[in-house]
Amino acid sequence: MSLLVAAICFSMLGVLARMAKADLSTWEICLGRALIGVACMVVLHFLVKVPINGPNRPMLIVRGLSGAICFLNIVAAMQQLPIGMAVVLFYLFPVFAALLSPWINNEPVDRLQWFCILTSVAGTFLLLGPEIGFHNLSSGHLFAVAAAFFAGLNIGLVRRLSSDHSPYCIYMYMSMVAIVVSLMPAVQDSQMSIPPKYALYMLGAIGLLGTAAQLSLNYGFVHLKAPEGSLILMSQVPISAFLGFVFFQESFGGMFLVGAALILLSSWGLTRTGV
């Protein structure tokens, strides 16, 4: 149930980020989410004593930087692409996790994983379709793939940190690093002016949804194995596509659906192998 909540929260976050495009930059959205994330972690620390510090601060900062870059890229992608397409491309992250695992955690890529990786590549070709092609990619497509890369990197870094760092600690550092990364660009984008009140409400909702999604995600994977949990989390794709249709009249053709199915099945297959 918690992973379904995470999928819904992530999907709603994407809709709000798209709606806020006219009034809030990607940097401002990142800063708002990070500030609310830090506030929530501090409150949880004082109320229920969740651990928000850990021994390996350099690695926590690296993980925080990677997480902040991932969030900036997925928000930028959702603001430029149909939400369903941005989310499907983001689900290439298990491919990058598998490719990076030999360098981060000394875990070799086996034949089954290579098969899933190549299937995901084929699905990406079908997803983009002949009318787009790799010679004419937009910045939104590149942002989505970059977000997937950094999400894959995050998986490897979290594996290294998880033995002696709590998920709350990891999220706390990600939020703190995101504040440092986004503060000056956000101030420059705002030109020292306060956004409209409704935009601030959306920013607050994005921050709360992002924190709720992350905590639900962490809780869910404590109680479920990776393959089962990932399969539930992939409900984010149809939820996002449905919300994109309802709010922005986004629709997709048959080639997109086949490509999306190949990517999601390959991603699920990679989680079954331990990625």
Side-chain angles (χ1 to χ4, degrees):
M1 183 63 183
S2 61
L3 287 175
L4 182 58
V5 171
I8 294 172
C9 288
F10 279 130
S11 299
M12 293 173 63
L13 188 156
V15 171
L16 289 176
R18 182 74 169 273
M19 288 180 171
K21 179 181 178 180
D23 300 293
L24 297 170
S25 70
T26 303
W27 296 105
E28 290 172 313
I29 291 173
C30 182
L31 177 62
R33 182 196 175 184
L35 289 170
I36 292 174
V38 167
C40 290
M41 292 303 98
V42 170
V43 170
L44 287 174
H45 174 68
F46 283 105
L47 288 181
V48 294
K49 307 300 181 184
V50 300
I52 57 174
N53 203 357
N56 194 344
R57 291 186 179 179
M59 185 63 69
L60 284 167
I61 293 173
V62 172
R63 164 59 181 89
L65 181 61
S66 176
I69 295 173
C70 176
F71 183 75
L72 284 166
N73 277 282
I74 192 58
V75 169
M78 287 179 171
Q79 290 183 334
Q80 298 183 33
L81 294 176
I83 294 175
M85 178 175 284
V87 172
V88 171
L89 287 174
F90 177 73
Y91 269 89
L92 288 168
F93 72 83
V95 171
F96 291 111
L99 292 174
L100 292 170
S101 61
W103 286 272
I104 299 176
N105 295 305
N106 297 316
E107 298 170 346
V109 182
D110 60 31
R111 291 182 180 179
L112 178 58
Q113 289 174 332
W114 276 117
F115 173 77
C116 291
I117 289 169
L118 293 175
T119 302
S120 286
V121 172
T124 304
F125 275 96
L126 293 174
L127 178 81
L128 296 178
E131 71 278 4
I132 298 178
F134 283 88
H135 64 285
N136 193 30
L137 291 176
S138 71
S139 58
H141 296 101
L142 299 179
F143 283 136
V145 175
F149 172 83
F150 283 102
L153 176 61
N154 290 340
I155 290 174
L157 295 174
V158 168
R159 282 187 176 180
R160 291 193 60 174
L161 289 166
S162 59
S163 60
D164 49 4
H165 298 79
S166 77
Y168 302 97
C169 168
I170 295 171
Y171 186 66
M172 177 69 171
Y173 270 80
M174 191 199 83
S175 298
M176 290 192 297
V177 171
I179 291 173
V180 175
V181 168
S182 60
L183 179 59
M184 288 307 299
V187 170
Q188 291 175 353
D189 284 344
S190 68
Q191 298 179 344
M192 303 305 291
S193 61
I194 300 176
K197 185 177 294 186
Y198 68 86
L200 293 176
Y201 289 150
M202 284 195 288
L203 187 60
I206 288 171
L208 292 174
L209 285 170
T211 301
Q214 193 66 50
L215 295 181
S216 298
L217 187 72
N218 294 338
Y219 181 82
F221 278 109
V222 167
H223 294 86
L224 287 175
K225 294 180 180 179
E228 291 79 7
S230 297
L231 189 60
I232 296 173
L233 193 60
M234 284 177 185
S235 62
Q236 180 186 355
V237 175
I239 293 170
S240 295
F242 173 74
L243 292 177
F245 175 77
V246 170
F247 288 98
F248 310 110
Q249 291 74 55
E250 299 170 352
S251 60
F252 303 99
M255 293 288 282
F256 172 89
L257 297 177
V258 174
L262 288 176
I263 291 174
L264 295 177
L265 287 172
S266 299
S267 298
W268 183 70
L270 284 167
T271 63
R272 290 195 67 85
T273 67
V275 173

